Amino acid sequence: MHNPLQTMTALRTAFWRLRLDFTCARRSDYVLSITDWEQAHYWRYIAGAGTARCVPYFTPEAYQHEIPTTHKSLQCVCLLSSGGVNPFLLDAAQNFAKAVAGLSQGAAGWSFIITGSLPTDLLAFPQRIKLTGYLESPDGLLAQSRAVAILSDYGFGFKTKLLDAIYNKCYVLVTEKLCRRLPMEVLPFCIVVDVNSRASFSEALDRCMQPYPEGDPNTALRERAFATLDSILGIGA
């Protein structure tokens, strides 16, 4: 049952943030969004089509590292967070658990992992899922995994873990709605999963056995971001 006080508080917060966005837009020459979707479906209505520009997110070189040479296991990981639980993370974990449970005895040889902080009393997990709790770094796990699951429609902005997964040559399993909000540069590395279909998750795991796509989406995103900034600042004009 919804708490009326919490609902009113959420509505007031949403209105205050919307008003703040309008104020910032009026006082700015440009409003820069890190995703094309938010530019097209939100900021262009707040700031105007000419003022709203996309400077896509990319992983800075300072956060990149050499990928250890290791065997890619039949392993699918759901990365949560070390910063507590929110509705997006709970939904992603719940859909992941539902997808794994739907496999029954299928996808033999695959293992499934959830990392991060997650109260186990909130969700029931199939025995096939291993809960790691906090990890000092997910890099080693990503290096040996074949897939990363981000199975939630919730949340906007850009999921930084998606580029982390691609950098480690993991396929990224996403919902259709999330896929529609992703930049075109990362789409060849993503596989859509229908969380309401038992067969969809199994088919996605089968597709993860294909040769990994060529390309460097992070470099492409960085070049597009710098090109937009150069245009705004009049550099090279």
Side-chain angles (χ1 to χ4, degrees):
M1 182 178 295
H2 293 290
N3 184 317
L5 180 60
Q6 290 180 339
T7 300
M8 289 300 298
T9 300
L11 289 173
R12 283 197 299 267
T13 300
F15 177 78
W16 176 80
R17 290 180 175 175
L18 179 62
R19 182 180 179 183
L20 185 61
D21 285 347
F22 271 109
T23 301
C24 290
R26 286 199 306 269
R27 297 178 179 177
S28 303
D29 295 314
Y30 292 96
V31 173
L32 307 182
S33 170
I34 63 171
T35 68
D36 300 286
W37 193 93
E38 288 187 357
Q39 176 199 356
H41 294 86
Y42 181 76
W43 284 112
R44 70 184 299 265
Y45 299 106
I46 302 296
T51 301
R53 304 288 293 274
C54 179
V55 178
Y57 172 85
F58 62 90
T59 304
E61 290 185 5
Y63 291 100
Q64 296 181 357
H65 58 277
E66 185 176 352
I67 302 174
T69 302
T70 183
H71 173 70
K72 281 287 185 182
S73 302
L74 297 183
Q75 187 166 272
C76 182
V77 183
C78 176
L79 296 174
L80 298 187
S81 170
S82 60
V85 178
N86 59 43
F88 164 72
L89 296 176
L90 281 176
D91 187 59
Q94 184 178 39
N95 285 333
F96 183 66
K98 177 181 177 181
V100 173
L103 292 172
S104 186
Q105 301 302 314
W110 278 86
S111 59
F112 304 94
I113 297 174
I114 294 180
T115 71
S117 173
L118 186 67
T120 56
D121 59 330
L122 293 180
L123 298 172
F125 294 99
Q127 291 185 348
R128 294 183 71 173
I129 293 181
K130 175 185 176 183
L131 304 179
T132 68
Y134 290 115
L135 294 177
E136 184 174 345
S137 170
D139 293 339
L141 191 61
L142 290 177
Q144 66 185 24
S145 297
R146 193 172 290 271
V148 169
I150 309 178
L151 299 179
S152 178
D153 294 335
Y154 296 156
F156 291 90
F158 185 85
K159 305 295 183 293
T160 58
K161 66 183 72 175
L162 191 147
L163 276 182
D164 292 338
I166 295 174
Y167 187 71
N168 283 276
K169 297 189 182 302
C170 300
Y171 281 100
V172 188
L173 311 185
V174 297
T175 64
E176 183 178 359
K177 286 186 179 180
L178 177 57
C179 186
R180 291 201 297 262
R181 300 198 297 266
L182 295 177
M184 60 181 181
E185 289 87 348
V186 305
L187 294 182
F189 308 87
C190 298
I191 299 173
V192 173
V193 173
D194 180 356
V195 297
N196 295 312
S197 166
R198 287 175 176 264
S200 182
F201 186 57
S202 177
E203 291 168 358
L205 295 177
D206 288 340
R207 290 181 59 188
C208 292
M209 301 301 295
Q210 298 175 1
Y212 200 73
E214 298 290 335
D216 182 358
N218 193 66
T219 295
L221 290 168
R222 181 175 65 243
E223 291 176 350
R224 183 152 68 95
F226 287 167
T228 301
L229 289 173
D230 287 347
S231 174
I232 289 171
L233 298 173
I235 298 174

